[in-house]
Amino acid sequence: MRLLCVATLISLFKYVLAVCLTMSVCLPSLAARDVYKYQDEQGNWVFTAIKPQVVFEVEHERVAEPEVSPVRVLHKVINGENQAEVIAVNNYGMPVTVKLAFTELTNTKTSISIPEAFALAPNSRQRLFTIFPEQPGQWRFQYQYSFTPGKLDPEFYADYAYQVPFNLPQAAYISQGFNGSFTHSEPHSQYAIDVPLPEGTEVVAAREGTVVEVVENNSGAATADFAKTKANVVRIAHADGTMTVYAHLKTFSSKVRVGQLVKRGEPIALSGNTGFSTGPHLHFAVQINQQHELVAVPFLLQINGAVVEPKPGLKIAPQG
């Protein structure tokens, strides 16, 4: 999961022109979310994205809202337009690393030597450095950046046994496992499993954590390249730096919101058939930020009290 943006600033004497050029992946789009409205015991109106557990009347609406990148790098001119401050914003509820590189530096210098990457704390805004003209006159800079979610190279608990990430009254079977030749050959999905499930099967959190990403407005499935970014997804961050990913979910079926704490086994969405898919199924993976790249890692499943390595053909009987 990376984002590429380019920003340019030109300062000529007292006049400043600031331009931000972004690739298509940066452009806002419209998503939808649930809004619940009700009156509390004191008669005050309450608006919330989480369905309240109340017995009185609750109004429910689905509203459109713009989607923006959770991590952004921006700059602003300060001190009489003679220097610019470069700032990073991380709206994820987990750490991220940001890599930034200059594609142009004309008559400029920076307040620090640019490191390989900047580490950003969860839900933070951080000044990275300042940039200013080296000599009087015109100065210009251009940079690009990318980000990777998660703490860099975490020392995670590799022997943790994850709960089966769905509830189904009948047996299910893993159709594609680790290093699968169809879609599990890239670093982000190398150690993932696919389990064919009837559309609408309840998907549950395989481990306690914090919801950091919810995508639920995509619909339809295909095997063309464009569909690879069109799956509905829930991502949950865990205390040891790992993240679980639940993909190809049913449109508008999410039961959780970003920032919400979830328990192991708590319902989070419904399975579906969205994105790059040949049929209804759940894609499940455990990922980490390894050397500034989002990669999948091997994991174990706990099935009816036994801890096993998930393999193609493995029968997952109803849990009980």
Side-chain angles (χ1 to χ4, degrees):
M1 181 186 298
R2 294 196 174 189
L3 182 72
L4 177 66
C5 292
V6 176
T8 305
L9 183 144
I10 303 172
S11 178
L12 182 58
F13 301 103
K14 296 183 179 180
Y15 301 95
V16 175
L17 171 65
V19 183
C20 183
L21 308 175
T22 60
M23 296 181 65
S24 60
V25 293
C26 302
L27 296 178
S29 59
L30 289 180
R33 64 181 176 94
D34 296 301
V35 173
Y36 298 93
K37 173 185 175 184
Y38 64 92
Q39 282 184 295
D40 62 17
E41 295 178 352
Q42 287 73 43
N44 300 313
W45 284 104
V46 178
F47 297 84
T48 177
I50 307 299
K51 185 176 181 179
Q53 301 299 316
V54 294
V55 295
F56 44 84
E57 183 178 358
V58 177
E59 297 181 19
H60 174 212
E61 296 181 359
R62 186 171 292 276
V63 299
E65 62 179 6
E67 285 186 344
V68 296
S69 169
V71 179
R72 291 171 291 146
V73 175
L74 54 143
H75 60 271
K76 64 178 182 179
V77 178
I78 57 176
N79 291 350
E81 303 176 354
N82 288 324
Q83 58 181 308
E85 189 175 64
V86 179
I87 300 167
V89 179
N90 175 24
N91 289 321
Y92 267 125
M94 62 176 169
V96 303
T97 57
V98 172
K99 299 184 75 172
L100 183 146
F102 285 98
T103 56
E104 180 179 352
L105 281 173
T106 302
N107 188 29
T108 54
K109 57 182 179 180
T110 57
S111 59
I112 63 171
S113 297
I114 306 303
E116 180 186 9
F118 295 91
L120 304 183
N123 299 310
S124 66
R125 179 184 179 93
Q126 178 178 327
R127 183 174 68 86
L128 302 183
F129 57 89
T130 56
I131 185 168
F132 41 89
E134 193 166 22
Q135 298 178 353
Q138 181 179 356
W139 58 293
R140 175 187 174 94
F141 66 89
Q142 185 177 79
Y143 60 86
Q144 61 184 17
Y145 70 92
S146 63
F147 72 89
T148 308
K151 179 183 178 181
L152 179 64
D153 299 326
E155 296 181 2
F156 63 96
Y157 184 24
D159 293 329
Y160 181 87
Y162 291 83
Q163 176 171 327
V164 171
F166 58 87
N167 287 326
L168 189 65
Q170 67 264 27
Y173 297 84
I174 296 176
S175 61
Q176 186 179 198
F178 298 170
N179 297 296
S181 59
F182 182 54
T183 56
H184 294 177
S185 57
E186 298 182 50
H188 70 273
S189 61
Q190 180 180 1
Y191 297 105
I193 61 172
D194 290 337
V195 183
L197 297 172
E199 190 166 350
T201 299
E202 186 175 66
V203 177
V204 302
R207 185 177 182 179
E208 180 183 65
T210 302
V211 178
V212 292
E213 181 183 15
V214 175
V215 178
E216 62 172 349
N217 62 313
N218 291 310
S219 60
T223 55
D225 285 345
F226 77 88
K228 292 181 178 179
T229 59
K230 299 300 181 181
N232 292 321
V233 176
V234 169
R235 179 182 299 272
I236 299 175
H238 309 291
D240 63 351
T242 58
M243 297 163 272
T244 46
V245 180
Y246 313 75
H248 306 294
L249 304 174
K250 187 175 181 179
T251 306
F252 296 135
S253 72
S254 174
K255 302 178 185 298
V256 294
R257 289 291 175 260
V258 171
Q260 182 176 338
L261 298 176
V262 293
K263 297 179 181 179
R264 177 181 167 111
E266 183 174 341
I268 59 173
L270 301 178
S271 67
N273 185 32
T274 57
F276 195 89
S277 174
T278 59
H281 75 286
L282 174 67
H283 173 97
F284 176 77
V286 178
Q287 297 178 332
I288 63 170
N289 177 351
Q290 185 177 80
Q291 298 180 11
H292 309 293
E293 184 177 9
L294 201 59
V295 302
V297 295
F299 61 89
L300 301 172
L301 283 179
Q302 186 173 37
I303 303 177
N304 286 328
V307 177
V308 300
E309 178 184 330
K311 296 182 178 181
L314 177 67
K315 178 181 179 180
I316 303 178
Q319 305 299 289

mmCIF file with all atom_site columns, all heavy atoms in Angstrom, residues 250-269:
data_model
loop_
_atom_site.group_PDB
_atom_site.id
_atom_site.type_symbol
_atom_site.label_atom_id
_atom_site.label_alt_id
_atom_site.label_comp_id
_atom_site.label_asym_id
_atom_site.label_entity_id
_atom_site.label_seq_id
_atom_site.pdbx_PDB_ins_code
_atom_site.Cartn_x
_atom_site.Cartn_y
_atom_site.Cartn_z
_atom_site.occupancy
_atom_site.B_iso_or_equiv
_atom_site.pdbx_formal_charge
_atom_site.auth_seq_id
_atom_site.auth_comp_id
_atom_site.auth_asym_id
_atom_site.auth_atom_id
_atom_site.pdbx_PDB_model_num
ATOM 1   N N   . LYS A 1 250 ? -18.334 -8.167  0.986  1.00 0.00 ? 250 LYS A N   1
ATOM 2   C CA  . LYS A 1 250 ? -19.584 -7.729  0.358  1.00 0.00 ? 250 LYS A CA  1
ATOM 3   C C   . LYS A 1 250 ? -19.728 -6.214  0.461  1.00 0.00 ? 250 LYS A C   1
ATOM 4   O O   . LYS A 1 250 ? -19.340 -5.596  1.458  1.00 0.00 ? 250 LYS A O   1
ATOM 5   C CB  . LYS A 1 250 ? -20.770 -8.414  1.038  1.00 0.00 ? 250 LYS A CB  1
ATOM 6   C CG  . LYS A 1 250 ? -22.115 -8.171  0.365  1.00 0.00 ? 250 LYS A CG  1
ATOM 7   C CD  . LYS A 1 250 ? -23.218 -8.987  1.026  1.00 0.00 ? 250 LYS A CD  1
ATOM 8   C CE  . LYS A 1 250 ? -24.550 -8.755  0.324  1.00 0.00 ? 250 LYS A CE  1
ATOM 9   N NZ  . LYS A 1 250 ? -25.637 -9.556  0.949  1.00 0.00 ? 250 LYS A NZ  1
ATOM 10  N N   . THR A 1 251 ? -20.276 -5.620  -0.575 1.00 0.00 ? 251 THR A N   1
ATOM 11  C CA  . THR A 1 251 ? -20.451 -4.171  -0.631 1.00 0.00 ? 251 THR A CA  1
ATOM 12  C C   . THR A 1 251 ? -21.297 -3.677  0.541  1.00 0.00 ? 251 THR A C   1
ATOM 13  O O   . THR A 1 251 ? -22.345 -4.251  0.861  1.00 0.00 ? 251 THR A O   1
ATOM 14  C CB  . THR A 1 251 ? -21.128 -3.781  -1.953 1.00 0.00 ? 251 THR A CB  1
ATOM 15  O OG1 . THR A 1 251 ? -20.376 -4.321  -3.040 1.00 0.00 ? 251 THR A OG1 1
ATOM 16  C CG2 . THR A 1 251 ? -21.210 -2.269  -2.099 1.00 0.00 ? 251 THR A CG2 1
ATOM 17  N N   . PHE A 1 252 ? -20.820 -2.611  1.186  1.00 0.00 ? 252 PHE A N   1
ATOM 18  C CA  . PHE A 1 252 ? -21.502 -1.964  2.315  1.00 0.00 ? 252 PHE A CA  1
ATOM 19  C C   . PHE A 1 252 ? -21.898 -2.955  3.414  1.00 0.00 ? 252 PHE A C   1
ATOM 20  O O   . PHE A 1 252 ? -22.982 -2.853  3.992  1.00 0.00 ? 252 PHE A O   1
ATOM 21  C CB  . PHE A 1 252 ? -22.741 -1.202  1.836  1.00 0.00 ? 252 PHE A CB  1
ATOM 22  C CG  . PHE A 1 252 ? -22.431 -0.059  0.913  1.00 0.00 ? 252 PHE A CG  1
ATOM 23  C CD1 . PHE A 1 252 ? -23.168 0.138   -0.245 1.00 0.00 ? 252 PHE A CD1 1
ATOM 24  C CD2 . PHE A 1 252 ? -21.398 0.820   1.188  1.00 0.00 ? 252 PHE A CD2 1
ATOM 25  C CE1 . PHE A 1 252 ? -22.883 1.177   -1.106 1.00 0.00 ? 252 PHE A CE1 1
ATOM 26  C CE2 . PHE A 1 252 ? -21.099 1.869   0.334  1.00 0.00 ? 252 PHE A CE2 1
ATOM 27  C CZ  . PHE A 1 252 ? -21.853 2.051   -0.821 1.00 0.00 ? 252 PHE A CZ  1
ATOM 28  N N   . SER A 1 253 ? -21.016 -3.907  3.693  1.00 0.00 ? 253 SER A N   1
ATOM 29  C CA  . SER A 1 253 ? -21.337 -4.895  4.732  1.00 0.00 ? 253 SER A CA  1
ATOM 30  C C   . SER A 1 253 ? -20.505 -4.724  5.999  1.00 0.00 ? 253 SER A C   1
ATOM 31  O O   . SER A 1 253 ? -20.659 -5.507  6.942  1.00 0.00 ? 253 SER A O   1
ATOM 32  C CB  . SER A 1 253 ? -21.123 -6.314  4.191  1.00 0.00 ? 253 SER A CB  1
ATOM 33  O OG  . SER A 1 253 ? -19.740 -6.613  4.054  1.00 0.00 ? 253 SER A OG  1
ATOM 34  N N   . SER A 1 254 ? -19.641 -3.726  6.037  1.00 0.00 ? 254 SER A N   1
ATOM 35  C CA  . SER A 1 254 ? -18.771 -3.566  7.199  1.00 0.00 ? 254 SER A CA  1
ATOM 36  C C   . SER A 1 254 ? -19.586 -3.292  8.458  1.00 0.00 ? 254 SER A C   1
ATOM 37  O O   . SER A 1 254 ? -20.536 -2.505  8.450  1.00 0.00 ? 254 SER A O   1
ATOM 38  C CB  . SER A 1 254 ? -17.787 -2.423  6.976  1.00 0.00 ? 254 SER A CB  1
ATOM 39  O OG  . SER A 1 254 ? -17.046 -2.175  8.137  1.00 0.00 ? 254 SER A OG  1
ATOM 40  N N   . LYS A 1 255 ? -19.204 -3.944  9.540  1.00 0.00 ? 255 LYS A N   1
ATOM 41  C CA  . LYS A 1 255 ? -19.850 -3.735  10.831 1.00 0.00 ? 255 LYS A CA  1
ATOM 42  C C   . LYS A 1 255 ? -18.953 -2.948  11.784 1.00 0.00 ? 255 LYS A C   1
ATOM 43  O O   . LYS A 1 255 ? -19.286 -2.793  12.965 1.00 0.00 ? 255 LYS A O   1
ATOM 44  C CB  . LYS A 1 255 ? -20.189 -5.092  11.452 1.00 0.00 ? 255 LYS A CB  1
ATOM 45  C CG  . LYS A 1 255 ? -21.104 -5.966  10.590 1.00 0.00 ? 255 LYS A CG  1
ATOM 46  C CD  . LYS A 1 255 ? -21.355 -7.313  11.235 1.00 0.00 ? 255 LYS A CD  1
ATOM 47  C CE  . LYS A 1 255 ? -22.163 -8.220  10.318 1.00 0.00 ? 255 LYS A CE  1
ATOM 48  N NZ  . LYS A 1 255 ? -23.509 -7.681  10.019 1.00 0.00 ? 255 LYS A NZ  1
ATOM 49  N N   . VAL A 1 256 ? -17.804 -2.495  11.289 1.00 0.00 ? 256 VAL A N   1
ATOM 50  C CA  . VAL A 1 256 ? -16.846 -1.775  12.128 1.00 0.00 ? 256 VAL A CA  1
ATOM 51  C C   . VAL A 1 256 ? -16.423 -0.497  11.428 1.00 0.00 ? 256 VAL A C   1
ATOM 52  O O   . VAL A 1 256 ? -16.627 -0.323  10.226 1.00 0.00 ? 256 VAL A O   1
ATOM 53  C CB  . VAL A 1 256 ? -15.607 -2.640  12.442 1.00 0.00 ? 256 VAL A CB  1
ATOM 54  C CG1 . VAL A 1 256 ? -15.995 -3.828  13.305 1.00 0.00 ? 256 VAL A CG1 1
ATOM 55  C CG2 . VAL A 1 256 ? -14.928 -3.107  11.151 1.00 0.00 ? 256 VAL A CG2 1
ATOM 56  N N   . ARG A 1 257 ? -15.784 0.388   12.184 1.00 0.00 ? 257 ARG A N   1
ATOM 57  C CA  . ARG A 1 257 ? -15.314 1.657   11.658 1.00 0.00 ? 257 ARG A CA  1
ATOM 58  C C   . ARG A 1 257 ? -13.862 1.877   12.077 1.00 0.00 ? 257 ARG A C   1
ATOM 59  O O   . ARG A 1 257 ? -13.392 1.319   13.075 1.00 0.00 ? 257 ARG A O   1
ATOM 60  C CB  . ARG A 1 257 ? -16.188 2.819   12.154 1.00 0.00 ? 257 ARG A CB  1
ATOM 61  C CG  . ARG A 1 257 ? -17.568 2.839   11.525 1.00 0.00 ? 257 ARG A CG  1
ATOM 62  C CD  . ARG A 1 257 ? -17.473 3.198   10.060 1.00 0.00 ? 257 ARG A CD  1
ATOM 63  N NE  . ARG A 1 257 ? -18.748 3.126   9.360  1.00 0.00 ? 257 ARG A NE  1
ATOM 64  C CZ  . ARG A 1 257 ? -19.137 2.111   8.608  1.00 0.00 ? 257 ARG A CZ  1
ATOM 65  N NH1 . ARG A 1 257 ? -18.354 1.053   8.495  1.00 0.00 ? 257 ARG A NH1 1
ATOM 66  N NH2 . ARG A 1 257 ? -20.282 2.132   7.986  1.00 0.00 ? 257 ARG A NH2 1
ATOM 67  N N   . VAL A 1 258 ? -13.164 2.711   11.323 1.00 0.00 ? 258 VAL A N   1
ATOM 68  C CA  . VAL A 1 258 ? -11.763 3.009   11.621 1.00 0.00 ? 258 VAL A CA  1
ATOM 69  C C   . VAL A 1 258 ? -11.644 3.569   13.041 1.00 0.00 ? 258 VAL A C   1
ATOM 70  O O   . VAL A 1 258 ? -12.410 4.441   13.444 1.00 0.00 ? 258 VAL A O   1
ATOM 71  C CB  . VAL A 1 258 ? -11.200 4.008   10.590 1.00 0.00 ? 258 VAL A CB  1
ATOM 72  C CG1 . VAL A 1 258 ? -9.828  4.501   11.015 1.00 0.00 ? 258 VAL A CG1 1
ATOM 73  C CG2 . VAL A 1 258 ? -11.129 3.361   9.216  1.00 0.00 ? 258 VAL A CG2 1
ATOM 74  N N   . GLY A 1 259 ? -10.671 3.053   13.771 1.00 0.00 ? 259 GLY A N   1
ATOM 75  C CA  . GLY A 1 259 ? -10.453 3.471   15.143 1.00 0.00 ? 259 GLY A CA  1
ATOM 76  C C   . GLY A 1 259 ? -11.142 2.604   16.173 1.00 0.00 ? 259 GLY A C   1
ATOM 77  O O   . GLY A 1 259 ? -10.859 2.717   17.374 1.00 0.00 ? 259 GLY A O   1
ATOM 78  N N   . GLN A 1 260 ? -12.015 1.728   15.724 1.00 0.00 ? 260 GLN A N   1
ATOM 79  C CA  . GLN A 1 260 ? -12.757 0.882   16.651 1.00 0.00 ? 260 GLN A CA  1
ATOM 80  C C   . GLN A 1 260 ? -11.901 -0.279  17.148 1.00 0.00 ? 260 GLN A C   1
ATOM 81  O O   . GLN A 1 260 ? -11.190 -0.913  16.379 1.00 0.00 ? 260 GLN A O   1
ATOM 82  C CB  . GLN A 1 260 ? -14.014 0.345   15.948 1.00 0.00 ? 260 GLN A CB  1
ATOM 83  C CG  . GLN A 1 260 ? -14.915 -0.509  16.810 1.00 0.00 ? 260 GLN A CG  1
ATOM 84  C CD  . GLN A 1 260 ? -16.177 -0.921  16.061 1.00 0.00 ? 260 GLN A CD  1
ATOM 85  O OE1 . GLN A 1 260 ? -16.587 -0.274  15.095 1.00 0.00 ? 260 GLN A OE1 1
ATOM 86  N NE2 . GLN A 1 260 ? -16.806 -2.002  16.508 1.00 0.00 ? 260 GLN A NE2 1
ATOM 87  N N   . LEU A 1 261 ? -11.972 -0.558  18.442 1.00 0.00 ? 261 LEU A N   1
ATOM 88  C CA  . LEU A 1 261 ? -11.300 -1.716  19.016 1.00 0.00 ? 261 LEU A CA  1
ATOM 89  C C   . LEU A 1 261 ? -12.199 -2.928  18.858 1.00 0.00 ? 261 LEU A C   1
ATOM 90  O O   . LEU A 1 261 ? -13.399 -2.860  19.147 1.00 0.00 ? 261 LEU A O   1
ATOM 91  C CB  . LEU A 1 261 ? -10.996 -1.480  20.498 1.00 0.00 ? 261 LEU A CB  1
ATOM 92  C CG  . LEU A 1 261 ? -10.055 -0.316  20.835 1.00 0.00 ? 261 LEU A CG  1
ATOM 93  C CD1 . LEU A 1 261 ? -9.928  -0.160  22.351 1.00 0.00 ? 261 LEU A CD1 1
ATOM 94  C CD2 . LEU A 1 261 ? -8.687  -0.536  20.222 1.00 0.00 ? 261 LEU A CD2 1
ATOM 95  N N   . VAL A 1 262 ? -11.643 -4.029  18.377 1.00 0.00 ? 262 VAL A N   1
ATOM 96  C CA  . VAL A 1 262 ? -12.438 -5.241  18.193 1.00 0.00 ? 262 VAL A CA  1
ATOM 97  C C   . VAL A 1 262 ? -11.806 -6.397  18.953 1.00 0.00 ? 262 VAL A C   1
ATOM 98  O O   . VAL A 1 262 ? -10.580 -6.455  19.129 1.00 0.00 ? 262 VAL A O   1
ATOM 99  C CB  . VAL A 1 262 ? -12.567 -5.613  16.697 1.00 0.00 ? 262 VAL A CB  1
ATOM 100 C CG1 . VAL A 1 262 ? -13.395 -4.580  15.957 1.00 0.00 ? 262 VAL A CG1 1
ATOM 101 C CG2 . VAL A 1 262 ? -11.200 -5.769  16.038 1.00 0.00 ? 262 VAL A CG2 1
ATOM 102 N N   . LYS A 1 263 ? -12.637 -7.313  19.404 1.00 0.00 ? 263 LYS A N   1
ATOM 103 C CA  . LYS A 1 263 ? -12.172 -8.485  20.107 1.00 0.00 ? 263 LYS A CA  1
ATOM 104 C C   . LYS A 1 263 ? -12.013 -9.646  19.137 1.00 0.00 ? 263 LYS A C   1
ATOM 105 O O   . LYS A 1 263 ? -12.596 -9.663  18.057 1.00 0.00 ? 263 LYS A O   1
ATOM 106 C CB  . LYS A 1 263 ? -13.168 -8.852  21.213 1.00 0.00 ? 263 LYS A CB  1
ATOM 107 C CG  . LYS A 1 263 ? -13.337 -7.797  22.291 1.00 0.00 ? 263 LYS A CG  1
ATOM 108 C CD  . LYS A 1 263 ? -14.362 -8.228  23.326 1.00 0.00 ? 263 LYS A CD  1
ATOM 109 C CE  . LYS A 1 263 ? -14.557 -7.166  24.393 1.00 0.00 ? 263 LYS A CE  1
ATOM 110 N NZ  . LYS A 1 263 ? -15.585 -7.571  25.385 1.00 0.00 ? 263 LYS A NZ  1
ATOM 111 N N   . ARG A 1 264 ? -11.225 -10.610 19.522 1.00 0.00 ? 264 ARG A N   1
ATOM 112 C CA  . ARG A 1 264 ? -11.085 -11.841 18.755 1.00 0.00 ? 264 ARG A CA  1
ATOM 113 C C   . ARG A 1 264 ? -12.459 -12.490 18.621 1.00 0.00 ? 264 ARG A C   1
ATOM 114 O O   . ARG A 1 264 ? -13.178 -12.680 19.605 1.00 0.00 ? 264 ARG A O   1
ATOM 115 C CB  . ARG A 1 264 ? -10.114 -12.770 19.476 1.00 0.00 ? 264 ARG A CB  1
ATOM 116 C CG  . ARG A 1 264 ? -9.902  -14.129 18.839 1.00 0.00 ? 264 ARG A CG  1
ATOM 117 C CD  . ARG A 1 264 ? -8.945  -14.929 19.693 1.00 0.00 ? 264 ARG A CD  1
ATOM 118 N NE  . ARG A 1 264 ? -8.904  -16.345 19.329 1.00 0.00 ? 264 ARG A NE  1
ATOM 119 C CZ  . ARG A 1 264 ? -7.871  -16.950 18.759 1.00 0.00 ? 264 ARG A CZ  1
ATOM 120 N NH1 . ARG A 1 264 ? -6.779  -16.253 18.489 1.00 0.00 ? 264 ARG A NH1 1
ATOM 121 N NH2 . ARG A 1 264 ? -7.909  -18.242 18.489 1.00 0.00 ? 264 ARG A NH2 1
ATOM 122 N N   . GLY A 1 265 ? -12.838 -12.809 17.390 1.00 0.00 ? 265 GLY A N   1
ATOM 123 C CA  . GLY A 1 265 ? -14.126 -13.434 17.130 1.00 0.00 ? 265 GLY A CA  1
ATOM 124 C C   . GLY A 1 265 ? -15.277 -12.477 16.913 1.00 0.00 ? 265 GLY A C   1
ATOM 125 O O   . GLY A 1 265 ? -16.395 -12.907 16.621 1.00 0.00 ? 265 GLY A O   1
ATOM 126 N N   . GLU A 1 266 ? -15.028 -11.165 17.007 1.00 0.00 ? 266 GLU A N   1
ATOM 127 C CA  . GLU A 1 266 ? -16.099 -10.183 16.829 1.00 0.00 ? 266 GLU A CA  1
ATOM 128 C C   . GLU A 1 266 ? -16.432 -10.023 15.347 1.00 0.00 ? 266 GLU A C   1
ATOM 129 O O   . GLU A 1 266 ? -15.544 -9.892  14.509 1.00 0.00 ? 266 GLU A O   1
ATOM 130 C CB  . GLU A 1 266 ? -15.679 -8.841  17.416 1.00 0.00 ? 266 GLU A CB  1
ATOM 131 C CG  . GLU A 1 266 ? -16.754 -7.774  17.353 1.00 0.00 ? 266 GLU A CG  1
ATOM 132 C CD  . GLU A 1 266 ? -16.349 -6.499  18.062 1.00 0.00 ? 266 GLU A CD  1
ATOM 133 O OE1 . GLU A 1 266 ? -15.424 -6.540  18.900 1.00 0.00 ? 266 GLU A OE1 1
ATOM 134 O OE2 . GLU A 1 266 ? -16.959 -5.450  17.773 1.00 0.00 ? 266 GLU A OE2 1
ATOM 135 N N   . PRO A 1 267 ? -17.720 -10.017 14.972 1.00 0.00 ? 267 PRO A N   1
ATOM 136 C CA  . PRO A 1 267 ? -18.102 -9.824  13.558 1.00 0.00 ? 267 PRO A CA  1
ATOM 137 C C   . PRO A 1 267 ? -17.612 -8.486  13.032 1.00 0.00 ? 267 PRO A C   1
ATOM 138 O O   . PRO A 1 267 ? -17.739 -7.457  13.708 1.00 0.00 ? 267 PRO A O   1
ATOM 139 C CB  . PRO A 1 267 ? -19.633 -9.883  13.590 1.00 0.00 ? 267 PRO A CB  1
ATOM 140 C CG  . PRO A 1 267 ? -19.956 -10.653 14.835 1.00 0.00 ? 267 PRO A CG  1
ATOM 141 C CD  . PRO A 1 267 ? -18.892 -10.275 15.829 1.00 0.00 ? 267 PRO A CD  1
ATOM 142 N N   . ILE A 1 268 ? -17.035 -8.490  11.813 1.00 0.00 ? 268 ILE A N   1
ATOM 143 C CA  . ILE A 1 268 ? -16.527 -7.247  11.240 1.00 0.00 ? 268 ILE A CA  1
ATOM 144 C C   . ILE A 1 268 ? -17.133 -6.932  9.874  1.00 0.00 ? 268 ILE A C   1
ATOM 145 O O   . ILE A 1 268 ? -17.131 -5.780  9.447  1.00 0.00 ? 268 ILE A O   1
ATOM 146 C CB  . ILE A 1 268 ? -14.992 -7.279  11.123 1.00 0.00 ? 268 ILE A CB  1
ATOM 147 C CG1 . ILE A 1 268 ? -14.526 -8.448  10.257 1.00 0.00 ? 268 ILE A CG1 1
ATOM 148 C CG2 . ILE A 1 268 ? -14.351 -7.339  12.506 1.00 0.00 ? 268 ILE A CG2 1
ATOM 149 C CD1 . ILE A 1 268 ? -13.031 -8.445  9.970  1.00 0.00 ? 268 ILE A CD1 1
ATOM 150 N N   . ALA A 1 269 ? -17.644 -7.938  9.150  1.00 0.00 ? 269 ALA A N   1
ATOM 151 C CA  . ALA A 1 269 ? -18.189 -7.706  7.810  1.00 0.00 ? 269 ALA A CA  1
ATOM 152 C C   . ALA A 1 269 ? -18.827 -8.997  7.319  1.00 0.00 ? 269 ALA A C   1
ATOM 153 O O   . ALA A 1 269 ? -18.916 -9.993  8.059  1.00 0.00 ? 269 ALA A O   1
ATOM 154 C CB  . ALA A 1 269 ? -17.095 -7.248  6.855  1.00 0.00 ? 269 ALA A CB  1
#
